[in-house]
Amino acid sequence: MQQGKDPLDEGAGAGGAGGLLRQPRAVWATAGASVVAFMGIGLVDPILPSIAKGLDATPSQVSLLFTSYFLITAVAMLVTGFVSSRIGGRKTLLVGLALVVVFAALAGTSNSVGELVGFRAGWGLGNALFVSTALAVIVGAAAGGSAAAILLYESALGLGMACGPLLGAILGDMKWRYPFFGTAALMAIGFVAITAFLKEQPRPARKTSLLDPVRALGHGGLASAAASAFFYNYAFFTVLAFTPFVLNMSPYKSGGVFFAWGVLLAVFSVLVAPRLQERFGSLKVLGGSLVLLAADLLVLGYGNHTTAVAATVASGAFIGLNNTVYTELALGVSDAPRPVASAGYNFVRWFAAAAAPYFAPKIEEWSDIHVPFVVAAGAAVLGAVIVWARRGSLTREAGERQSAHAAEDGVSVFAN
């Protein structure tokens, strides 16, 4: 890569379909379990109103299902590298899967919002351990290089985000508890598959300390990416956690809306983003997509019901673009080891994913139903402003850094 070139322009779509599809069984087992793990993020979307009704809870109380989940996820980012560098990637995946199976099943037995929120927190810890390690394992075991592995991981992310709401709608239409039991069963299958097909991966030469991810944020480029992603995630999870209450649809209809949203997210993340990056440069794509997401959020907040549905689905396109670019920035913008850099980046941005589900319904209570989307749009614009103001820090200055990162075995980015 030439010095001064956009940091993510080259190799965006490398690997090809052949490299993507010709993978060992261990890779497919890990990717399949990753799909289910990402399904767990949007699983509760279509059934949020049903949960509120079933447990006699307010929207702001039910939104804590997201807040507890992502708050634990954010903190766990400081722990995942510490754990996996000591017990290995395979054991970390299995511990994470076991925790998800236990806490997802317990969530289905909840008799109060407090119990459900607590079990979702335990679920978040398991999911963090699993998903933050999954990409490292896929890269270590994949054929076709890291580019094909990352593309496979992004495909699993998109498929999981699309199918989660659909599964939640199908099972939740029968009873709001069933999606939690369904997730536990699917993750148990993933546990068996990884036990059977995945051998232990080589451990890193140096063990990761709990403070290494925080120290990595001292790099200006990584700190800028994390700060921008923080505001972006606030907008993202306003859509994911608050919009179901605004649309106020049956689980099937809400699941259909978010399935279409997830399909757009997957298509734009895996297929469209690399082409736009190659043509316009990653930072321009990211900045432009954030501004368009802000405009879409305003349309969602002030449009009629049909317009709000269309804007919700359309937001998946901008979220897909942003996810891919932010992921690649976190992987390559700094000279820190990839697992350490991405842990620090995720530690910052997942706090916004915890904040948005809590504050959006509170803001509605304090004002009206439009204002949460105005705040989310403002957050997306702030993310774009940071990208523009810190564009120098977000551009890698040394071409050697790309080859150094490519030689690393460990990669760890959680779900975007």
Side-chain angles (χ1 to χ4, degrees):
M1 183 174 63
Q2 297 298 317
Q3 203 169 20
K5 198 174 181 179
D6 181 87
L8 307 173
D9 278 348
E10 66 177 37
L20 180 65
L21 297 177
R22 291 194 295 268
Q23 300 296 342
R25 287 182 296 179
V27 172
W28 288 117
T30 307
S34 298
V35 171
V36 181
F38 289 124
M39 285 169 63
I41 296 176
L43 180 82
V44 299
D45 252 35
I47 58 172
L48 286 175
S50 299
I51 294 173
K53 184 178 179 181
L55 296 178
D56 193 25
T58 65
S60 60
Q61 288 175 321
V62 173
S63 69
L64 292 174
L65 294 176
F66 283 100
T67 297
S68 63
Y69 182 92
F70 288 116
L71 187 61
I72 295 299
T73 295
V75 176
M77 284 301 147
L78 301 181
V79 178
T80 53
F82 178 88
V83 172
S84 64
S85 66
R86 284 162 174 78
I87 69 173
R90 181 176 182 271
K91 290 179 182 177
T92 303
L93 290 179
L94 293 175
V95 169
L97 285 168
L99 287 172
V100 172
V101 170
V102 170
F103 284 104
L106 288 173
T109 68
S110 300
N111 293 313
S112 69
V113 172
E115 286 184 11
L116 188 53
V117 168
F119 293 142
R120 275 285 280 184
W123 184 346
L125 174 61
N127 222 40
L129 287 170
F130 174 80
V131 182
S132 64
T133 310
L135 182 54
V137 171
I138 289 173
V139 168
S146 62
I150 292 171
L151 187 59
L152 184 63
Y153 180 83
E154 291 288 345
S155 301
L157 186 158
L159 184 60
M161 294 293 281
C163 293
L166 198 60
L167 178 66
I170 293 171
L171 297 179
D173 192 58
M174 295 182 281
K175 196 170 187 178
W176 68 261
R177 299 178 186 274
Y178 290 171
F180 299 108
F181 295 135
T183 299
L186 289 171
M187 288 304 252
I189 294 172
F191 185 97
V192 173
I194 287 178
T195 301
F197 298 124
L198 180 66
K199 297 179 180 179
E200 185 57 81
Q201 304 295 296
R203 300 184 191 181
R206 176 180 174 274
K207 293 180 179 179
T208 301
S209 78
L210 292 174
L211 292 180
D212 280 350
V214 177
R215 295 190 186 102
L217 291 169
H219 183 277
L222 184 62
S224 300
S228 178
F230 176 90
F231 290 107
Y232 157 64
N233 265 33
Y234 185 94
F236 177 179
F237 284 93
T238 296
V239 174
L240 195 61
F242 183 65
T243 302
F245 291 107
V246 176
L247 298 180
N248 193 25
M249 303 167 78
S250 69
Y252 269 121
K253 291 181 179 178
S254 182
V257 169
F258 278 95
F259 175 72
W261 169 87
V263 168
L264 271 187
L265 187 154
V267 169
F268 274 75
S269 177
V270 177
L271 300 178
V272 178
R275 289 167 173 77
L276 291 179
Q277 287 173 264
E278 183 177 357
R279 181 170 181 178
F280 299 108
S282 296
L283 299 187
K284 289 181 181 178
V285 171
L286 182 58
S289 182
L290 286 167
V291 171
L292 290 173
L293 176 61
D296 184 78
L297 285 165
L298 293 177
V299 172
L300 198 166
Y302 283 94
N304 59 27
H305 189 267
T306 301
T307 303
V309 169
T312 300
V313 173
S315 70
F318 309 123
I319 289 170
L321 291 174
N322 294 335
N323 283 352
T324 293
V325 181
Y326 275 121
T327 296
E328 294 178 3
L329 276 176
L331 292 182
V333 74
S334 79
D335 53 3
R338 279 171 160 172
V340 173
S342 61
Y345 160 80
N346 282 298
F347 172 69
V348 172
R349 74 187 184 100
W350 286 114
F351 276 110
Y358 176 78
F359 283 112
K362 288 292 186 183
I363 292 169
E364 182 198 10
E365 292 173 9
W366 300 333
S367 52
D368 60 48
I369 200 168
H370 308 297
V371 177
F373 294 102
V374 175
V375 173
V381 170
L382 278 174
V385 169
I386 292 172
V387 169
W388 177 81
R390 300 288 295 169
R391 59 191 181 279
S393 296
L394 290 169
T395 302
R396 287 179 298 202
E397 297 178 355
E400 295 83 3
R401 190 169 298 162
Q402 173 69 19
S403 57
H405 279 313
E408 293 176 15
D409 288 328
V411 184
S412 174
V413 173
F414 176 36
N416 300 284

